[in-house]
Amino acid sequence: IGQRHALNARQLGANVILCDINITRLGEFANKHQFEIYFSDINEAIEKTKPKAAIIATPSNLHLSLAIELAQKGIHILMEKPLSVSLENIDYLEKVIKENNITFMMAQSYRFHEGLVALKRIIEEVEEKRKAECLMKDCIINHQIGGNDIDIIKNWIKKTF
């Protein structure tokens, strides 16, 4: 997810600085996508680049501590969900955010929203029926299947011609 955020932010014109403790993975990604500035240490990245905002897309168990650290330094935050793996220190993060007057936002994805999953299923079913209809029309035009076959396909796609 972090890589997607980096690519999207750059496309929107942001000056993107990458940071990941896995320097091998980070270097490969940076080289592949031509990112020039990257760090394996968050404190070095902050000290050298003085960012105004950061995107937290780390493993979930690191979200809260990193958010507190960034908020204490006055850095605005966009964080992937979840906020934390426990309720511990969430109130403290809220306090630090207010004290430092920063903007804090949680990223939200609707990819698995129940309504959208159902809509996707309907679209897929309609697409399959459309493909079957096109195949059936083509077969009828080209006389490649018989009447019984046509009846079976009509039943499958609940369509009459």
Side-chain angles (χ1 to χ4, degrees):
I1 294 174
Q3 293 177 353
R4 189 172 341 132
H5 280 297
L7 294 170
N8 289 341
R10 181 174 61 189
Q11 189 174 14
L12 292 170
N15 180 25
V16 178
I17 293 118
L18 305 174
C19 187
D20 191 324
I21 59 172
N22 184 329
I23 193 69
T24 303
R25 177 181 57 206
L26 178 61
E28 289 170 359
F29 176 77
N31 290 329
K32 178 180 179 182
H33 297 284
Q34 300 168 345
F35 284 95
E36 296 176 9
I37 306 171
Y38 58 93
F39 299 88
S40 63
D41 178 88
I42 187 69
N43 293 313
E44 181 184 9
I46 292 169
E47 183 182 315
K48 289 187 175 179
T49 66
K50 311 279 190 257
K52 294 179 182 177
I55 298 171
I56 298 175
T58 59
S60 300
N61 63 318
L62 302 174
H63 283 188
L64 193 60
S65 61
L66 185 54
I68 290 169
E69 183 178 352
L70 294 170
Q72 288 171 331
K73 294 178 180 182
I75 298 170
H76 303 285
I77 300 166
L78 170 64
M79 181 190 293
E80 276 297 331
K81 62 183 184 320
L83 176 63
S84 179
V85 294
S86 75
L87 297 176
E88 189 177 338
N89 288 324
I90 290 177
D91 290 338
Y92 181 66
L93 173 62
E94 182 180 20
K95 178 180 179 250
V96 174
I97 288 169
K98 288 178 182 177
E99 286 174 354
N100 290 283
N101 194 33
I102 66 156
T103 300
F104 180 91
M105 298 183 302
M106 291 295 301
Q108 178 64 42
S109 170
Y110 292 101
R111 181 178 294 173
F112 301 105
H113 184 278
E114 182 179 310
L116 294 177
V117 169
L119 180 59
K120 179 180 184 283
R121 203 171 21 251
I122 290 168
I123 290 170
E124 288 170 348
E125 289 172 11
V126 168
E127 181 63 17
E128 285 303 311
K129 286 181 181 180
R130 189 189 68 71
K131 287 177 186 175
E133 288 172 4
C134 291
L135 174 65
M136 184 173 164
K137 288 176 186 175
D138 183 53
C139 290
I140 292 169
I141 290 167
N142 293 314
H143 306 287
Q144 294 175 354
I145 59 175
N148 198 27
D149 298 324
I150 294 170
D151 184 60
I152 291 169
I153 295 171
K154 283 181 184 178
N155 184 37
W156 286 347
I157 62 174
K158 310 285 190 257
K159 177 88 173 175
T160 58
F161 294 92

